[in-house]
């Protein structure tokens, strides 16, 4: 956390205070002073505002991992650095544990430090990851904690369940986990689920707080954050220090909101949602909930229909209280979706936030049985014969209820979709299996792009997912029993590196009411590697800037980082979907999308409605634009809109320095379907 984007390591008291306040606002409760004791003022602030501290000695040898800790010439230096840390900082109540250093192996020097500290200050815990690196049962002389670095969740759970282990007296607090590099922090919720289920797992320290970028200005006067190599410095680690939960100006990454939600001090669980009965849980250890106020809102299909305050919160520490909500009289159809969202705010201003600051939120489903059943809607009769098809040697032109489109028979591409003369889609659904790699997919600026837990980017580039080639197209028109024309396009796309194919079959049915149904089937050769994404991309004309969707939001979210999202009808813009990670990469995705719509300034536009939940995004950048860029200022927004409708994207994981994406969040070769409808909106 000790970094300033203008002064580097010369941090100011104002900057320290800003960090403490933002940490408190996002439910952070502990800081490890990696990898050295901090400015003395930091501990004053942690004492005052309430942050636990693991104070870490300035001991790290890295390239000489096991040598220096066993070289007698360095023994006095080890002890001196631990001694001086303790003597300087011993009177700060915020310090919960002394850390013997970082990544310096494990040897007699560490045991000597630990022994001296235990005698000088027996009141605090000792922490040292190097003592348990190879075996979590070892190193008890140097560490009172089992404190592994970037362990897999399965290993944490196995340790917690192993009641026969000889070392179950020590709690487990991860030294580092969830490497926050770029678009990251996948499976943070899975870690927290393990913390909740197994008491011996007490959490860990996310690496790290801030992107260590340095403010620069390009020749056009635009500011950006530079990183290794931007200053003529050799050697360097390129963007590897841009791995924080906040940007250098302390603006939070989307991943920090996920953390805030998972670490929140209040949770709500359903007792009997049908009858409006819920239980509020106080997850604090020392304070009641009297300083907070709660609200609830009922959403039907993502829209708020009613809301109100909760009864006064009184739950004692680690206790619960019951609340009962009165549902309104509603008549709902079978396909309607109902959710209740609870939010909790500070009643009064504190030293670190203003009154009304949101500290927690939960969303739960409400069964339709809580409401009356709406009568079945009667669909108006339509004449399918209203669909007109014009056939030429090169294309089909289809017209229905003011909508028309062209399907090119040679390349199998839908184009020029118009409603009453207004263009809605410039280029129709085309197979898309590539995303601009995240830092966890691979380090694109490094000679060896995958040196950590993942080899995703290497596999994708070798297979040629970023440059698939259309090798064969077959188009045919069918006529259903009711006379409706159905256009079927079968395309084989070659992955040139692997010399294997992906077959994309897309069928289009134009209805007399102007609806266009699109059915996609993807058959991925099982000899291909896993996919970064699987879906279709479309190009929409300039002007469709207003964005709405019914799905998870409002921030970007992914299959393994969506616990903090709210399922609702969200409104934004295409421009606002851009997330300015210091190294441009994949961003702006939304999961569990029921529909996504884009409009112009007058409200006219197009809607894509999924038969089942899909993932979706809209951007003024292509994946190729993002992959080619090294800094945010390399990007020039395109005037048109690029829409991605996906069966799914690979999760984010944390493999830039930690475990890869869990198997259940990956897309393996096989057969998949994605169906949606296209309608115009006025």
């Amino acid at each position: 956390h000790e970094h300033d984007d203008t002064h580097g390591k010369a941090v100011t008291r104002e900057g320290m205070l800003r960090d403490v306040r933002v940490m408190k606002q996002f439910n952070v409760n502990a800081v490890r002073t990696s990898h050295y004791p901090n400015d003395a003022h930091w501990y004053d602030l942690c004492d005052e505002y309430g942050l636990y501290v693991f104070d870490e000695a300035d001991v790290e040898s890295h390239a000489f991992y096991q040598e220096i800790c066993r070289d007698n010439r360095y023994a006095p230096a080890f002890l001196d650095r631990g001694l001086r840390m303790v003597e300087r900082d011993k009177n700060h109540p915020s310090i919960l544990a002394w850390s013997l250093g970082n990544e310096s192996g494990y040897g007699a020097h560490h045991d000597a430090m630990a022994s001296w500290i235990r005698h000088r200050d027996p009141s605090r815990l000792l922490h040292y990851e190097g003592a348990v690196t190879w075996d979590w049962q070892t190193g008890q002389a140097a560490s009172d904690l089992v404190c592994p670095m970037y362990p897999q969740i399965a290993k944490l759970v196995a340790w917690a369940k192993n009641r026969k282990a000889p070392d179950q007296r020590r709690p487990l607090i991860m030294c580092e986990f969830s490497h926050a590099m770029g678009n990251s922090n996948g499976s943070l919720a899975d870690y927290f689920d393990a913390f909740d289920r197994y008491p011996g797992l007490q959490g860990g320290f996310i690496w790290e707080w801030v992107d260590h970028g340095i403010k620069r200005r390009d020749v056009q006067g635009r500011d950006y954050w530079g990183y290794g190599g931007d200053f003529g410095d050799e050697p360097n680690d390129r963007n590897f220090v841009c791995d924080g939960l906040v940007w250098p100006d302390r603006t939070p990454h989307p991943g920090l909101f996920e953390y805030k939600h998972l670490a929140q001090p209040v949770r709500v669980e359903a007792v009997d949602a049908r009858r409006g009965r819920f239980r509020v849980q106080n997850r604090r250890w020392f304070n009641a909930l009297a300083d907070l106020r709660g609200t609830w809102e009922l959403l039907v299909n993502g829209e708020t229909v009613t809301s109100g305050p909760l009864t006064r919160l009184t739950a004692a520490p680690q206790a619960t209280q019951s609340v009962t909500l009165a549902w309104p009289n509603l008549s709902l159809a079978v396909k309607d979706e109902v959710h209740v969202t609870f939010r909790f705010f500070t009643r009064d201003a504190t030293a670190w936030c203003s009154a009304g600051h949101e500290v927690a939120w939960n969303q739960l489903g409400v069964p339709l049985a809580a409401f009356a059943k709406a009568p079945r809607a009667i669909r108006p009769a339509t004449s399918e014969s209203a669909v007109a098809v014009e056939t030429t040697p090169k294309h089909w032109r289809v017209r229905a209820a003011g909508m028309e489109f062209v399907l090119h028979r040679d390349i199998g591409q839908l184009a020029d979709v118009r409603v009453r003369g207004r263009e809605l889609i410039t280029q129709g659904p085309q197979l898309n299996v590539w995303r601009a790699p995240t830092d966890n997919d691979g380090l694109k600026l490094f000679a060896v792009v995958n040196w950590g837990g993942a080899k995703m980017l290497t596999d994708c580039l070798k297979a040629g997912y970023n440059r698939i080639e259309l090798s064969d197209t077959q188009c045919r028109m069918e006529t259903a029993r009711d006379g409706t024309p159905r256009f079927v396009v079968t395309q084989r796309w070659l992955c040139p590196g692997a010399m294997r194919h992906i077959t994309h079959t897309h069928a289009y049915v134009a209805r007399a009411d102007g609806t266009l149904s699109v059915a996609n089937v993807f058959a991925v050769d099982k000899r291909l590697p896993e996919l970064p994404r699987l879906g279709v991309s479309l190009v929409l004309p300039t002007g469709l800037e207003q964005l709405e969707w019914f799905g998870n939001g409002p921030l970007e979210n992914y299959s393994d980082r969506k616990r903090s999202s709210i399922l609702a009808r969200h409104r934004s813009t295409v421009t606002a979907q851009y997330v300015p990670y210091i190294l441009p990469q994949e961003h702006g995705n939304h999961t569990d999308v029921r529909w996504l719509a884009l409009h112009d300034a007058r409200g006219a536009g197009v809607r894509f409605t999924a038969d089942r939940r899909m993932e979706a995004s809209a951007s003024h950048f292509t994946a190729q634009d993002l992959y080619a860029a090294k800094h945010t200022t390399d990007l020039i927004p395109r005037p048109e809109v690029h829409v991605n409708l996906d069966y799914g994207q690979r999760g984010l994981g944390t493999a830039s320095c930690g475990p890869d994406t869990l198997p259940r969040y990956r897309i393996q070769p096989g057969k998949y379907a994605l169906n949606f409808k296209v309608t115009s909106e006025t």
Side-chain angles (χ1 to χ4, degrees):
H1 54 280
E2 279 210 324
H3 174 77
D4 182 272
D5 65 355
T6 302
H7 302 105
K9 287 297 180 184
V11 294
T12 64
R13 291 193 171 197
E14 293 76 17
M16 292 184 224
L17 180 58
R18 175 183 58 181
D19 273 336
V20 166
R21 285 176 171 167
V22 176
M23 288 178 183
K24 294 290 291 184
Q25 290 168 9
F26 281 84
N27 296 329
V28 172
N29 73 341
V31 174
R32 172 175 159 236
T33 67
S34 318
H35 297 298
Y36 50 83
N38 284 184
D39 183 291
H41 183 63
W42 177 254
Y43 306 91
D44 293 335
L45 291 173
C46 292
D47 294 343
E48 179 182 354
Y49 285 82
L51 286 171
Y52 293 125
V53 174
F54 277 37
D55 201 7
E56 188 154 285
D58 185 13
V59 176
E60 179 163 357
S61 55
H62 228 115
F64 302 94
Y65 194 74
Q66 293 289 8
E67 289 86 352
I68 291 179
C69 65
R70 298 172 182 178
D71 186 329
N72 291 339
R73 293 174 297 176
Y74 289 92
F78 274 69
L79 182 58
D80 180 62
R81 294 187 179 206
L83 181 155
R84 289 189 293 127
M85 173 182 68
V86 172
E87 285 301 312
R88 189 195 71 166
D89 298 338
K90 64 191 176 204
N91 291 323
H92 288 284
S94 59
I95 296 175
L96 182 69
W98 303 113
S99 173
L100 305 185
N102 178 71
E103 294 180 333
S104 54
Y106 178 45
H109 305 346
H110 295 100
D111 288 344
M113 292 173 66
S115 179
W116 186 91
I117 294 173
R118 288 188 200 283
H119 280 272
R120 185 69 178 94
D121 178 21
S123 68
R124 292 183 173 96
L125 299 167
L126 290 187
H127 162 278
Y128 183 56
E129 180 268 340
V132 302
T133 297
W134 312 115
D135 182 351
W136 292 4
Q137 307 298 332
T138 62
Q140 298 186 36
S143 185
D144 296 322
L145 304 172
V146 177
C147 43
M149 187 178 286
Y150 302 107
Q152 295 182 346
I153 298 171
K155 188 174 181 180
L156 294 175
V157 172
W159 177 89
K161 293 169 67 175
N162 184 9
R163 297 304 178 191
K164 296 181 180 180
D167 182 31
Q168 283 292 353
R169 69 178 184 85
R170 294 191 294 179
L172 189 148
I173 298 177
M174 287 177 287
C175 175
E176 293 176 22
F177 82 112
S178 193
H179 195 245
M181 188 174 181
N183 192 357
S184 186
N185 303 114
S187 278
L188 199 54
D190 296 307
Y191 277 102
F192 270 77
D193 288 345
F195 304 159
D196 288 345
R197 185 171 182 181
Y198 302 101
L201 307 179
Q202 296 192 354
F205 292 95
I206 293 175
W207 188 266
E208 61 185 324
W209 177 244
V210 61
D211 287 335
H212 289 193
I214 297 294
K215 187 181 294 184
R216 303 200 78 195
R217 181 164 293 174
D218 68 10
V219 294
Q220 300 180 41
R222 298 174 299 175
D223 290 335
Y224 69 98
W225 284 302
Y227 46 76
D230 287 339
F231 311 91
D233 50 313
E234 289 291 344
N236 63 76
D237 277 338
R238 295 161 176 87
N239 67 310
F240 202 74
V241 293
C242 298
D243 53 1
L245 287 168
V246 297
W247 277 280
D249 64 359
R250 275 50 181 184
T251 300
H253 284 197
L256 184 55
F257 287 88
E258 183 87 343
Y259 171 84
K260 177 180 179 178
H261 174 72
L262 295 168
Q264 64 191 16
V266 189
R267 286 186 187 172
V268 182
E269 58 184 358
V271 177
D272 185 349
R274 179 180 177 181
R275 293 177 171 82
R277 298 173 184 171
F278 298 89
R279 182 182 296 119
V280 177
Q281 179 187 8
N282 181 0
R283 294 174 55 79
R284 294 166 166 174
W285 284 85
F286 307 112
N287 294 332
L289 295 181
D291 61 315
L292 302 179
R293 63 176 178 84
T295 66
W296 64 276
E297 57 180 338
L298 190 71
L299 296 89
V300 176
N301 299 329
E303 293 278 22
T304 301
V305 295
T306 188
S307 62
L310 293 178
T311 55
R312 191 168 186 88
L313 300 173
T314 59
Q318 295 290 291
T320 63
Q321 72 179 86
S322 298
V323 296
T324 301
L325 307 179
W327 300 138
N329 294 321
L330 299 173
S331 295
L332 301 179
V334 173
K335 290 186 177 181
D336 286 337
E337 297 183 67
V338 186
H339 296 84
V340 58
T341 303
F342 298 90
R343 297 182 184 275
F344 299 88
F345 308 88
T346 56
R347 287 187 174 276
D348 303 308
T350 72
W352 49 268
C353 74
S354 58
H357 168 74
E358 186 174 29
V359 299
W361 63 96
N362 270 113
Q363 187 177 64
L364 299 167
V366 180
L368 290 178
F371 309 95
K373 186 176 181 181
R376 177 177 294 181
I378 300 176
R379 294 183 179 180
T382 59
S383 173
E384 298 294 351
S385 61
V387 179
V389 180
E390 175 188 338
T391 303
T392 73
K394 291 187 176 182
H395 63 257
W396 289 295
R397 183 176 293 276
V398 182
R399 297 181 178 87
M403 181 197 71
E404 64 176 302
F405 65 86
V406 172
L407 184 59
H408 294 283
R409 299 166 68 177
D410 53 347
I411 58 174
Q413 186 175 98
L414 189 74
D416 198 24
V417 179
R418 295 176 178 271
V419 172
R420 288 178 286 280
R422 181 188 298 274
E423 186 180 36
L424 297 181
I425 301 175
T426 303
Q427 178 179 304
Q430 291 282 277
L431 176 68
N432 186 13
V433 296
W434 172 247
R435 72 180 183 191
T438 66
D439 288 314
N440 288 334
D441 289 337
L443 305 174
K444 70 180 184 181
L445 300 183
F446 287 68
V448 180
V449 297
N450 297 107
W451 67 272
K455 56 187 182 70
M456 184 64 190
L457 179 54
T458 297
D459 288 348
C460 289
L461 294 175
K462 285 183 177 179
Y465 287 157
N466 61 324
R467 57 186 194 281
I468 57 174
E469 303 168 359
L470 182 59
S471 59
D472 181 61
T473 299
Q474 297 180 8
C475 300
R476 69 181 188 273
M477 182 176 70
E478 303 173 344
T479 303
R481 293 180 180 178
D482 60 1
T484 305
R486 183 173 184 263
F487 304 90
V488 181
V489 179
T490 302
Q491 296 177 310
R492 295 180 76 234
W493 292 85
L494 176 68
C495 302
M499 296 305 293
R500 303 294 178 188
H501 286 87
I502 300 173
T503 301
H504 176 206
T505 302
H506 34 133
Y508 302 93
V509 177
R511 303 293 181 182
D513 62 357
T515 299
L516 177 63
S517 297
V518 185
N520 299 275
V521 175
F522 310 100
V524 184
D525 191 308
K526 292 189 177 181
R527 291 166 289 187
L528 286 167
E530 63 171 301
L531 303 159
R533 78 182 326 146
L534 182 61
V536 295
S537 59
L538 306 91
V539 181
L540 276 56
T542 303
L544 296 183
E545 175 65 16
Q546 304 304 310
L547 178 67
E548 293 186 52
W549 71 96
F550 178 22
N552 284 330
L555 301 178
E556 67 172 17
N557 49 86
Y558 293 79
S559 58
D560 62 352
R561 200 192 71 206
K562 64 177 184 178
R563 191 74 62 85
S564 59
S565 297
I566 293 295
L567 181 65
R569 180 171 178 171
H570 300 283
R571 295 170 176 84
S572 183
T573 65
V574 176
T575 298
Q577 296 302 293
Y578 173 58
V579 182
Y581 293 111
I582 289 180
L583 181 71
Q585 56 196 271
E586 156 63 31
H587 63 271
N589 188 61
H590 298 285
T591 60
D592 298 330
V593 173
R594 280 66 165 168
W595 56 260
L596 177 139
L598 297 104
H599 307 101
D600 61 19
R602 294 180 291 180
V606 61
R607 178 183 292 215
F608 305 95
T609 304
D611 282 7
R612 297 182 179 180
R613 300 175 187 181
M614 63 181 175
E615 298 187 27
S617 61
S619 178
H620 288 300
F621 305 106
T622 66
Q624 290 74 20
D625 294 336
L626 296 167
Y627 185 45
K630 295 182 178 180
H631 299 92
T632 53
T633 49
D634 295 336
L635 294 170
I636 301 175
R638 294 173 181 262
E640 70 274 14
V641 178
H642 294 265
V643 172
N644 298 301
L645 307 177
D646 292 318
Y647 167 84
Q649 270 202 56
R650 190 181 200 263
L652 298 172
T654 180
S656 54
C657 192
D660 198 0
T661 304
L662 294 178
R664 63 179 174 272
Y665 303 121
R666 302 183 190 183
I667 306 172
Q668 300 293 350
K671 194 170 185 178
Y672 302 89
L674 171 67
N675 302 329
F676 57 86
K677 295 180 176 63
V678 183
T679 54
S680 65
E681 300 202 336
T682 55

